[in-house]
Structure formats: structure tokens, C-alpha cells
Amino acid sequence: MTKVILVRHGQSEANLNMCFAGQCNPDLTELGYKQAERFSKWVIENYKIDKIYASDLLRAYNTAKPTADQLNLPIIKNINFREINGGKWENVKFEKLLTDYAEDYGLFVNDIGNSRCSEGESVKELSIRVLAELKKVCEDTPDKTILIATHATPIRAIQTILQKGDIFYAKHVPWTPNASATVLKYED
């Protein structure tokens, strides 16, 4: 059995500024760096981490860094664990999305599993990308414990598929908070 600990990045500048980050590359805030340190302490006290992966975006990579530094492990950057490609929504304030992209963003808010970012990636496409990479990583690292630092939409997609069986049900799965852990077991 392979154990996977998914961590959502700590608070980012985009979170603080109420922007849709997508694949733009804001860093963590001061609070986000503190959250990464606290997460590191918790995960090291509770798990023996064998391998660390992270989205190549700063906010995820820098969330994994304190753990990697403490354990003297490399961080394997993986673009397949990136946040959704937000298309025209990248780095746009949420209030502006509500007015300028009312129909598309309204669907994202109310029925995320069936939505697509304007001229960007759909949540279904993201779920296929992330789940294929998660399966590959688990099969390449049998019987180990893996830490993956990633983003809110990938974690929500993984949880939806594992709990509900279809991305269509994502509207029934809540967002995970910044610097929170989601633990999975992969076997058979």
C-alpha cells in the first residue's frame, strides 16, 4: 500500500488579494510561509515521508520546501499537479469574474464539475490530468509514503472521483483550506 499526503499550498498572494490564481505564479504570503512551516512540523511528526512531489508553481513548491529541507529530500517538480489553467481568469479578482465572465464563472461557482474556465481548462480535463499522474506516481513508488504539494482544484477533483465516482459531483465536495492535508491510501 502506498500512502499519499496531499497538501494544499499555504496562503498565497492571490488568496490574499482575492484573485483567481490558476497557473499564474504568485508566491506565498508571510502567513503562507508560516503555514508551510507548521505543516512541515505536523507531517514529520506523524508520517515517514519517502518522496516529495510538488506542482512547479511557487506557492506549492514553497509549501513543500520546509519538509524537504528538514528531511533532506529533493522536491520533484511536476507540472501535472498544477492548478487548473484559468484561461482569461488568470490573476483576475473574483468580483471582476462575477461581472465580466458571469455565465462561465457562475457555472464554476455553482456546478464546478461541469465547468470550464473561459478559454482555459475544464475541471474534467484537470481531473483526468491529475488522476493519471497520481496513479503513475503511486505505481512508481509502491509501499512508500509520498507527499504531494498541490492546489485546491486538483485536490477537490481527486476527492470527488474517489468519494463520488464522477467529477460531475464536485459541487458536493468542499474546498480544502490552505496548508491542509488530505491522506489517501493506494492499493490494488
Side-chain angles (χ1 to χ4, degrees), residues 55-95:
S55 155
D56 64 327
L57 299 175
L58 282 173
R59 57 198 188 270
Y61 183 86
N62 286 334
T63 298
K65 192 165 180 352
T67 305
D69 290 348
Q70 286 292 313
L71 298 176
N72 200 28
L73 289 172
I75 300 173
I76 302 162
K77 291 182 180 181
N78 189 314
I79 64 170
N80 289 315
F81 292 126
R82 274 185 172 196
E83 181 56 280
I84 195 165
N85 177 338
K88 291 198 170 225
W89 302 354
E90 297 276 329
N91 208 28
V92 173
K93 289 194 176 284
F94 294 120
E95 64 189 31

Side-chain angles (χ1 to χ4, degrees), residues 53-183:
Y53 290 85
S55 155
D56 64 327
L57 299 175
L58 282 173
R59 57 198 188 270
Y61 183 86
N62 286 334
T63 298
K65 192 165 180 352
T67 305
D69 290 348
Q70 286 292 313
L71 298 176
N72 200 28
L73 289 172
I75 300 173
I76 302 162
K77 291 182 180 181
N78 189 314
I79 64 170
N80 289 315
F81 292 126
R82 274 185 172 196
E83 181 56 280
I84 195 165
N85 177 338
K88 291 198 170 225
W89 302 354
E90 297 276 329
N91 208 28
V92 173
K93 289 194 176 284
F94 294 120
E95 64 189 31
K96 189 165 173 57
L97 294 175
L98 288 168
T99 58
D100 292 5
Y101 302 97
E103 187 175 336
D104 288 350
Y105 188 65
L107 188 60
F108 187 85
V109 170
N110 296 307
D111 192 9
I112 188 170
N114 290 303
S115 70
R116 172 182 297 281
C117 301
S118 301
E119 295 187 24
E121 192 173 23
S122 73
V123 174
K124 182 171 185 166
E125 289 165 341
L126 171 132
S127 72
I128 292 166
R129 164 173 58 87
V130 170
L131 284 164
E133 194 64 25
L134 179 63
K135 182 178 180 185
K136 180 182 180 297
V137 163
C138 288
E139 289 176 355
D140 288 349
T141 316
D143 302 317
K144 300 288 184 188
T145 300
I146 304 165
L147 173 63
I148 301 173
T150 187
H151 307 268
T153 315
I155 293 172
R156 190 171 184 181
I158 290 167
Q159 288 180 311
T160 299
I161 298 297
L162 296 180
Q163 293 173 1
K164 307 289 186 183
D166 192 309
I167 198 65
F168 168 78
Y169 298 105
K171 64 185 172 187
H172 302 294
V173 176
W175 294 107
T176 58
N178 290 107
S180 64
T182 302
V183 181

